[in-house]
Amino acid sequence: MYNLQLIEERIVSISKEMGLSKNKLLINTNLNKSVFDNMKKGQIPSVDKIHTIADYQGCSVDYLLGRTDNPEINK
């Protein structure tokens, strides 16, 4: 289905480009640390959480989910 490692890598990579840590990203998006903790346990974040992160990072949900390698497609 979805590669949770890839999702986390893309979120972290864009965050670093923005000069943000994972924790700062979560604070800025009003999300809980459980987003990353649950991914490590094999749980995909809700659509709302992925959408919130994608909007904040200025990329598409499809990019974060690994459905495309272009962060601008379906933005």
Side-chain angles (χ1 to χ4, degrees):
M1 190 146 196
Y2 292 108
N3 181 335
L4 293 172
Q5 182 178 353
L6 177 64
I7 294 170
E8 183 173 1
E9 286 173 3
R10 288 186 172 188
I11 292 170
V12 170
S13 175
I14 293 174
S15 294
K16 284 183 182 177
E17 289 174 14
M18 296 173 73
L20 300 172
S21 66
K22 288 194 304 189
N23 287 335
K24 188 65 175 172
L25 168 72
L26 294 172
I27 290 167
N28 290 353
T29 56
N30 294 317
L31 296 174
N32 193 298
K33 182 180 179 279
S34 66
V35 171
F36 291 108
D37 292 342
N38 290 341
M39 279 196 283
K40 295 216 183 295
K41 295 177 186 174
Q43 299 173 0
I44 297 173
S46 71
V47 172
D48 289 338
K49 290 175 183 171
I50 292 289
H51 190 265
T52 297
I53 293 169
D55 282 351
Y56 183 79
Q57 293 185 325
C59 68
S60 70
V61 170
D62 284 341
Y63 175 74
L64 291 182
L65 294 177
R67 294 170 42 109
T68 180
D69 289 330
N70 182 341
E72 298 296 319
I73 291 180
N74 296 327
K75 184 174 170 187

